[in-house]
């Protein structure tokens, strides 16, 4: 017989999911966590919010592996800490422009894999993607590129421009979205 779990905060007893911040131990990674599942419920414990977030991502991965409304998880204990402080992904928006929504989807995927650094490549000879209000031609002209080869020309021989840039507000939005997932953006 299975018993439904309830979401609980604090140290309450009973069959539920509990999240605990314990405070960082000397020398411990702020991204370390313990995930414990037994007959009393599920406990995710960490010394820092970043570790708690990573523990929740591991729990989510365990739950998402089941395609049912009722899920049965085995008793287990995971003690996890990252081996490397910088676990990153690089996106080259200078060459291939991505929308803000596409970047948010990418950040969500990074969070599930516990990647913590997003290197966002904005500028290159292929494109200038950052709005600088004092210099509008940077995005007006530099925000467009002509792809190489046949893709770079329309049927009539004129350039097939590929354009896009991010406003300052959009960049702030992406930075905040990443920060909520404990991801640092490095431009």
């Amino acid at each position: 017989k299975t018993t439904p779990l309830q979401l609980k905060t604090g140290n309450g007893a009973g069959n539920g999911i509990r999240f605990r911040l314990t405070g960082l131990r000397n020398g411990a990674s702020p991204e370390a966590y313990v995930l414990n599942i037994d007959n009393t419920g599920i406990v995710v414990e960490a010394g820092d919010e970043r570790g708690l977030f990573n523990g929740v991502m591991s729990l989510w991965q365990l739950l998402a592996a089941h395609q049912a409304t009722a899920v049965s998880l085995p008793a287990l204990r995971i003690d996890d800490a990252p081996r490397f402080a910088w676990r990153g992904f690089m996106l080259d928006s200078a060459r291939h422009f991505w929308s803000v929504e596409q970047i948010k989807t990418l950040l969500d995927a990074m969070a599930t894999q516990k990647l913590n650094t997003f290197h966002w490549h904005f500028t290159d000879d292929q494109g200038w993607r950052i709005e600088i209000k004092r210099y509008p031609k940077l995005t007006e002209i530099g925000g467009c590129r002509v792809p190489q080869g046949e893709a770079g020309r329309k049927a009539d021989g004129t350039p097939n421009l590929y354009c896009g840039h991010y406003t300052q507000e959009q960049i702030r939005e992406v930075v905040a979205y990443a920060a909520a997932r404990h991801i640092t953006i490095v431009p």
Side-chain angles (χ1 to χ4, degrees):
K1 179 184 174 201
T2 60
T3 306
L5 289 173
Q6 308 294 315
L7 174 62
K8 300 197 177 199
T9 57
N11 294 321
N15 193 9
I17 302 174
R18 293 180 297 283
F19 303 98
R20 292 188 194 138
L21 279 172
T22 60
L24 274 177
R25 294 185 186 98
N26 231 359
S29 167
E31 295 181 275
Y33 66 92
V34 175
L35 170 61
N36 193 51
I37 301 173
D38 61 22
N39 61 355
T40 64
I42 299 171
V43 177
V44 180
E45 187 175 88
D48 186 274
E49 287 182 15
R50 291 170 283 179
L52 200 60
F53 184 83
N54 286 343
V56 169
M57 287 294 104
S58 289
L59 177 59
W60 179 83
Q61 288 170 333
L62 290 169
L63 294 170
H66 301 277
Q67 299 296 320
T69 54
V71 175
S72 177
L73 296 176
L76 62 82
R77 179 181 171 97
I78 298 173
D79 286 275
D80 191 20
R83 180 174 176 191
F84 301 105
W86 182 304
R87 298 173 317 283
F89 184 90
M90 196 272 283
L91 177 67
D92 187 351
S93 290
R95 287 178 178 82
H96 302 286
F97 185 78
W98 284 39
S99 71
V100 169
E101 289 310 310
Q102 289 172 311
I103 292 171
K104 286 179 177 181
T105 300
L106 174 65
L107 291 168
D108 288 339
M110 287 178 63
T112 63
Q113 300 303 311
K114 302 175 194 90
L115 298 177
N116 65 1
T117 307
F118 177 52
H119 177 180
W120 199 1
H121 189 69
F122 286 115
T123 63
D124 206 315
D125 62 336
Q126 301 295 320
W128 183 279
R129 306 298 183 193
I130 304 171
E131 173 190 50
I132 298 182
K133 292 180 181 179
R134 187 171 178 180
Y135 302 107
K137 288 196 176 206
L138 283 173
T139 52
E140 186 182 307
I141 297 169
C144 294
R145 69 182 280 254
V146 177
Q148 295 293 316
E150 290 183 26
R153 297 281 166 201
K154 296 178 185 175
D156 65 3
T158 59
N160 186 19
L161 292 178
Y162 172 68
C163 302
H165 72 276
Y166 304 102
T167 65
Q168 292 177 10
E169 186 56 40
Q170 287 173 317
I171 292 171
R172 283 187 198 96
E173 179 184 341
V174 171
V175 168
Y177 193 86
R181 285 146 186 80
H182 302 280
I183 297 171
T184 300
I185 294 182
V186 177

